[in-house]
Structures are given as structure tokens and as C-alpha cells.
Amino acid sequence: MIRHDQRGTILVVVAGLCALLSAMSLAFVMRMRADGEDAHRMSQDIQARVMLTSALMYVQETGRLGWGGETFGWRDVRDGMPGPRDFFGQWPAMFASTISDDGLRRPAVTKAFFPVVRGTAARNPMYVMRRPPFAIRSTIAPNPVPIVDPGDNATAPWDQLINYAVADPSPVTSDPGAFASGDLAPLQVSGIASWFRVYRSGVTTFVITCGSGASQGFRDWQEVVDTPGAADIFGNQADFEAIRSAEVRRWYEAEWSDLVTGNNFMHGHYARHNQRTFGNPNLGAEETPNKRNLAGTFAYIASLPSEPLDW
């Protein structure tokens, strides 16, 4: 028979064990949450750093493409003038009214955009679109030769054995307007949002901001307000500031160079090729990947220790 004082002792022991289990469970849940937050932050940091490659390729490509015709580098390889200039050595019509001969903003212009030196940065949200503009089907062989086994009949006419029944490359949609405009709506399962900004700080130097978060690369609320339709994305300033505080941002500086060699395009390490010798014009005989370099290389790529004044 259990005495009353023994019953009290058992109750105290059971209550203590329950409290201990509750404390351990709470500590476990808190640790799991902290681990999850750390993993998410690490994923954001990785995503932001991946954006550096996209931004550097953007700098390389926009020195030659994207202005309504072919251009010849950020410092024109023909005469050394600030670029990008067209075939006739003139500024492309897309920004000719805002840029002076030295690449800076014209004095009469109150606001100029990239690629004007010290103009507003180019902002590039890198979410996955439902269908990008000018999307091409990823079919490897749209017109395969109709022979599978050696015993197949190969006596068919040449227009059947080697044909061009399906366009190659083939657009995703047959509507020319939809092909050009694409479907810019974000794909909801595209993972962590990321973006990069490119600010042209000099004729050949660029400040690159890489981010992972939902701000779409807007620097501050004023820039959101100044961009038509952007305020509707975030609702209000408080929501935007909360989004901005939760994302990861990294800053870099790079200097474009017109020095090229061989068949390479990438700016970093590729397979067994060392990035320190990659693109060096003195190593033309060295084996390089089979990608033609038509867009220049970089004299240096540096990580900035803190947020720069202009980006």
C-alpha cells in the first residue's frame, strides 16, 4: 500500500520528468530551426556568389551586343575611344542622346542609364521565366536520320534520309509576337530568387552587386518609387525593407580588358584550365576550351570588403 507522502514523491518525479522532456523537446526544435536558418542563409550566399558569373558574362556580352547592332567593346578596339560604339564609330541610338564622347552623361541630361559611365546601374532580376523571349526548343535532333539498326533500309530518297522537315533551331511557340515577347511571369518553383546589378564606374571598370532575395535588385525604396509599376510589387516601404534585410548581398569590382587569346570565353576556372593563365594573350599556344572569345576578358575581379558608395 502506497502512503500519501509516497504518492506526492511520485507526482513530483513525474512532473519533473515531464518538464525535462518538454525542455529537451523545445531545445531540439529551436536547434532544428537554427540549423534550418543557417542552411537557408548558406544557400542564399551560394546563390549570390553564383550571380557573379552571370554578371561578368553580362559585362562581356553587352560590350558587343544588345544595342541594336554590333559594337566593339567598352573601350573601342579600333581607336581606343570609350564604347560601346557601332560599326561607324557612333553611339547606338538607344542611348546616344544621353552620353557624351568621354562616356559620361551629357551635361543637359538629368538622368542617364547604363551603359553611360556613372549612370544608373543595370538591374537584372534572375528569376526563372515561364518562357523567356526568343526561347528555343531544347530538342537535340529535330530531324533525325530514319535509320536505327544497320539492317534498316537505307535506300530511301535523300530528301527522307537527310531532311529539314522541322526547323532547327525551332522556336518554342509558332506565334512570332509571343516568340519575341516571351512569358515573363516567374515560375513559382524556381527556388531562391536572385539578381545582379552592374554599375559602370569607369570606361572599363564596373561595380557588380550580386544578391539573393526577393528585392529584385532594387537598391532602396526611392529607386522602387522611381521605377514605374515597381511599387505594386512590394506594397509599401516597410515590406520592402523587410525583404531587403532578409537577403544576402555581395559587392565586386571588375575591369574589362580587350585582350583575348585562342578559343576561350569563360572568366574563371574551366575543367583543368587555370584561371590565372586563362585569357592571357601571351599564352596563345596553350590548350584552351573550345569556346571563341569575342567579348574580351578581365584584368582583375576583386571582392569588395563593404558596400561601396555607388552601385
Side-chain angles (χ1 to χ4, degrees), residues 85-154:
R85 297 176 183 263
D86 63 17
F87 182 81
F88 301 100
Q90 304 298 319
W91 296 117
M94 296 176 66
F95 57 86
S97 62
T98 63
I99 191 170
S100 57
D101 281 342
D102 57 3
L104 294 169
R105 172 176 54 85
R106 290 180 182 269
V109 176
T110 57
K111 190 173 185 179
F113 298 89
F114 184 88
V116 177
V117 176
R118 301 175 195 165
T120 302
R123 183 179 57 84
N124 297 276
M126 294 295 286
Y127 62 86
V128 179
M129 303 175 186
R130 293 185 181 275
R131 188 182 69 253
F134 306 102
I136 300 297
R137 295 187 185 278
S138 57
T139 306
I140 297 177
N143 299 289
V145 176
I147 297 177
V148 179
D149 298 318
D152 289 348
N153 184 9

Side-chain angles (χ1 to χ4, degrees), residues 7-310:
R7 292 176 181 175
T9 301
I10 294 174
L11 182 60
V12 170
V13 171
V14 171
L17 290 174
C18 291
L20 179 61
L21 290 174
S22 298
M24 292 177 63
S25 299
L26 179 61
F28 177 76
V29 171
M30 293 178 64
R31 178 59 184 270
M32 290 294 293
R33 178 175 179 176
D35 288 346
E37 291 176 346
D38 290 343
H40 178 70
R41 199 70 174 177
M42 183 181 68
S43 298
Q44 283 186 299
D45 188 65
I46 293 172
Q47 190 69 34
R49 293 173 187 271
V50 167
M51 287 297 100
L52 176 61
T53 293
S54 299
L56 291 171
M57 287 190 172
Y58 177 82
V59 171
Q60 288 179 298
E61 292 178 3
T62 50
R64 299 297 311 277
L65 303 169
W67 309 113
E70 182 182 8
T71 52
F72 295 84
W74 294 108
R75 184 176 292 282
D76 201 300
V77 296
R78 300 167 296 180
D79 55 15
M81 292 291 290
R85 297 176 183 263
D86 63 17
F87 182 81
F88 301 100
Q90 304 298 319
W91 296 117
M94 296 176 66
F95 57 86
S97 62
T98 63
I99 191 170
S100 57
D101 281 342
D102 57 3
L104 294 169
R105 172 176 54 85
R106 290 180 182 269
V109 176
T110 57
K111 190 173 185 179
F113 298 89
F114 184 88
V116 177
V117 176
R118 301 175 195 165
T120 302
R123 183 179 57 84
N124 297 276
M126 294 295 286
Y127 62 86
V128 179
M129 303 175 186
R130 293 185 181 275
R131 188 182 69 253
F134 306 102
I136 300 297
R137 295 187 185 278
S138 57
T139 306
I140 297 177
N143 299 289
V145 176
I147 297 177
V148 179
D149 298 318
D152 289 348
N153 184 9
T155 60
W158 280 106
D159 61 352
Q160 295 180 21
L161 293 176
I162 302 176
N163 64 79
Y164 199 70
V166 179
D168 183 16
S170 179
V172 171
T173 174
S174 59
D175 183 348
F179 173 67
S181 61
D183 184 353
L184 306 185
L187 193 63
Q188 296 300 322
V189 295
S190 59
I192 300 175
S194 55
W195 50 267
F196 67 84
R197 291 170 61 104
V198 177
Y199 172 76
R200 191 180 183 187
S201 56
V203 174
T204 59
T205 55
F206 301 85
V207 174
I208 296 171
T209 309
C210 303
S212 177
S215 73
Q216 296 196 17
F218 286 101
R219 175 170 180 166
D220 50 36
W221 180 248
Q222 186 59 51
E223 189 176 65
V224 173
V225 173
D226 293 341
T227 304
D232 297 335
I233 300 174
F234 304 102
N236 54 60
Q237 184 174 359
D239 291 342
F240 172 78
E241 296 296 343
I243 290 172
R244 183 184 174 188
S245 63
E247 67 182 5
V248 171
R249 297 185 176 192
R250 295 285 180 266
W251 289 273
Y252 303 88
E253 184 178 79
E255 181 177 3
W256 178 86
S257 171
D258 59 3
L259 302 179
V260 299
T261 180
N263 293 331
N264 67 73
F265 178 77
M266 298 289 286
H267 62 83
H269 196 81
Y270 183 90
R272 63 184 181 277
H273 302 281
N274 191 332
Q275 62 181 351
R276 294 186 178 182
T277 62
F278 212 65
N280 189 330
N282 298 320
L283 299 175
E286 183 172 317
E287 182 185 6
T288 53
N290 189 23
K291 283 190 175 183
R292 294 193 178 279
N293 186 335
L294 304 175
T297 51
F298 291 95
Y300 69 86
I301 305 167
S303 176
L304 300 180
S306 59
E307 178 180 349
L309 181 62
D310 297 315

